[in-house]
Amino acid sequence: MHKKELITIGNASEILGISIQTLRRWDESGRLTAHKTEGGQRRYVESEIQSLADGLIFELAHKWASKSTPPTLNSDVHCQDRSIFEGRLQRLNGAITRAGIEQNLTSLVITATGEIGNNSFDHNLGKWPDVPGVFFDYNIDDGIIVLADRGLGILATLHRVRPELEKHTDALRVAFTEIVTGRAPEKRGNGLKYIMKIAKMGMVGIKFQTGNALLEIDAGATDFKIIVANTFIKGTIAIIKFKTN
Amino acid sequence: MKIELIKFGNILSSRPAGKDAYSGFSSEISKITKDEVVEVDFSNITSFAPSWGDEFLSPLLNRFNDRLILTNTENSSVTLTLELLEETNGYKFNRG
């Protein structure tokens, strides 16, 4: 929940994860204009900074997942192996609980996040094309969680058991809607179908891209859409949105 | 026998962790006598994922069938995961 309060440049710097010097430059260039106190000190509207932070989280995740030469990530957001991811999942649980989010929603959000992150490790272990691990960051105040990986992507992993699949859009639809079991060389968690169920219950909204296929389902929607995106993600990127009040 | 899942952690996520939990518990499972009821207690679980659940519960169900009883399954993630496992694997759990 946003507070309609003005915050200092130091606080804004902490929320955004960028330096005070950069914020001063953005103010001077007009990219992010600060309010000024009578004494000339910079102040920012907290809700605007939080919204900007959400955009920066996704922008960074997208850049990391899509660029041929990805930016180096801070260890706070880059989970290089599963144990680090699971440690951060516990931290997320603590943060959501402290924020007073209702227990049923907390359970489902944590489970959905765990399934997406663990899917990345399950399907890419020993096969990471370049950078191993998962991007994992969140903003509890605004109810968003962003995950991404530079793995093989859903089409390549599903192709082993469903060789008839040719398009990213078809693979994404299968992953979210069909039961894939049986003769698979590796067991399938069906975690994405679980997330689809949570979304249809009205608990979370989700955006999920792999290759050029982008799936969107709003919380409580009875149906979802898969479109061809303008950008290409070799692995996966996901945003989970949940209500914070 | 009563298996308290909270002893494996409050967030039960991922296939490898579910598989490890079952393997680690297999010596206890082998002590279960014929006709003994096996209760799996979900008390105090925060998050129960389908991946973990499939690796732990499916082999238990295969082995003990109707003698496997799941209790305190009210948590939303537990309820939904059990439904999904039943749907994808075509079996049915006994809930106590």
Side-chain angles (χ1 to χ4, degrees):
Chain A
M1 196 186 310
H2 295 308
K3 293 169 189 163
K4 308 264 183 206
E5 289 176 359
L6 293 176
I7 57 174
T8 65
I9 191 169
N11 288 339
S13 161
E14 282 176 20
I15 292 169
L16 293 170
I18 57 178
S19 70
I20 290 173
Q21 289 74 18
T22 299
L23 282 175
R24 286 186 183 132
R25 273 202 306 277
W26 283 6
D27 185 21
E28 287 157 11
S29 68
R31 180 172 173 180
L32 180 64
T33 307
H35 299 265
K36 301 289 190 317
T37 65
E38 286 183 5
Q41 292 181 317
R42 291 176 173 88
R43 293 286 184 272
Y44 295 86
V45 176
E46 185 175 18
S47 59
E48 292 174 2
I49 295 298
Q50 291 286 6
S51 295
L52 182 59
D54 295 346
L56 289 180
I57 291 173
F58 180 73
E59 189 182 317
L60 177 59
H62 197 278
K63 195 181 285 182
W64 181 73
S66 63
K67 298 287 182 191
S68 55
T69 307
T72 302
L73 295 177
N74 188 314
S75 60
D76 283 349
V77 298
H78 187 197
C79 303
Q80 298 197 40
D81 61 41
R82 198 192 295 270
S83 63
I84 297 172
F85 173 73
E86 287 176 353
R88 293 213 72 216
L89 194 60
Q90 282 285 1
R91 275 171 54 189
L92 172 66
N93 179 47
I96 294 182
T97 303
R98 283 192 299 278
I101 307 292
E102 193 256 332
Q103 179 59 48
N104 276 335
L105 178 57
T106 300
S107 291
L108 294 172
V109 167
I110 295 297
T111 309
T113 306
E115 285 295 85
I116 291 177
N118 278 309
N119 263 354
S120 295
F121 291 106
D122 288 345
H123 297 310
N124 293 295
L125 192 63
K127 297 173 242 172
W128 297 104
D130 46 36
V131 185
V134 168
F135 177 102
F136 176 23
D137 201 4
Y138 49 83
N139 184 332
I140 302 301
D141 289 338
D142 285 349
I144 72 154
I145 297 164
V146 179
L147 299 124
D149 71 64
R150 292 178 61 85
L152 299 169
I154 287 180
L155 178 59
T157 52
L158 265 185
H159 204 261
R160 298 175 206 144
V161 288
R162 299 287 293 270
E164 75 279 10
L165 292 173
E166 292 180 353
K167 294 179 181 172
H168 293 284
T169 47
D170 294 336
L172 189 56
R173 185 181 307 278
V174 167
F176 270 88
T177 61
E178 292 184 23
I179 296 166
V180 184
T181 53
R183 295 173 296 279
E186 55 193 271
K187 283 191 173 182
R188 298 282 163 172
N190 296 304
L192 296 180
K193 280 168 279 297
Y194 185 88
I195 291 162
M196 179 68 83
K197 281 176 179 280
I198 297 174
K200 287 185 174 177
M201 286 164 64
M203 305 302 262
V204 303
I206 181 118
K207 273 189 184 183
F208 191 105
Q209 185 176 345
T210 180
N212 63 358
L214 173 64
L215 176 142
E216 286 187 59
I217 179 164
D218 296 327
T222 53
D223 209 355
F224 62 93
K225 61 180 177 184
I226 294 178
I227 60 169
V228 175
N230 295 324
T231 57
F232 191 87
I233 300 288
K234 194 172 178 183
T236 64
I237 186 166
I239 309 176
I240 299 168
K241 296 183 181 177
F242 59 95
K243 287 182 184 167
T244 57
N245 52 14
Chain B
M1 170 178 278
K2 183 173 180 175
I3 303 172
E4 296 172 79
L5 285 189
I6 191 66
K7 291 182 178 173
F8 296 97
N10 67 324
I11 296 177
L12 302 177
S13 186
S14 92
R15 280 194 177 274
K19 206 170 193 171
D20 283 353
Y22 187 80
S23 304
F25 205 65
S26 57
S27 60
E28 296 298 312
I29 291 167
S30 65
K31 294 177 192 165
I32 296 172
T33 57
K34 193 183 172 191
D35 301 330
E36 188 179 352
V37 167
V38 180
E39 177 188 349
V40 176
D41 182 2
F42 288 82
S43 296
N44 301 313
I45 293 296
T46 301
S47 164
F48 184 66
S51 52
W52 198 99
D54 196 20
E55 293 292 342
F56 192 86
L57 292 182
S58 295
L60 280 180
L61 187 64
N62 282 337
R63 184 161 177 166
F64 299 107
N65 299 307
D66 289 347
R67 287 191 285 141
L68 179 71
I69 297 174
L70 312 184
T71 58
N72 299 307
T73 58
E74 298 80 12
N75 175 284
S76 55
S77 69
V78 172
T79 305
L80 198 61
T81 287
L82 295 180
E83 281 176 16
L84 185 73
L85 290 178
E86 289 176 331
E87 189 183 315
T88 55
N89 294 329
Y91 53 50
K92 190 83 182 162
F93 291 112
N94 277 337
R95 294 167 175 78

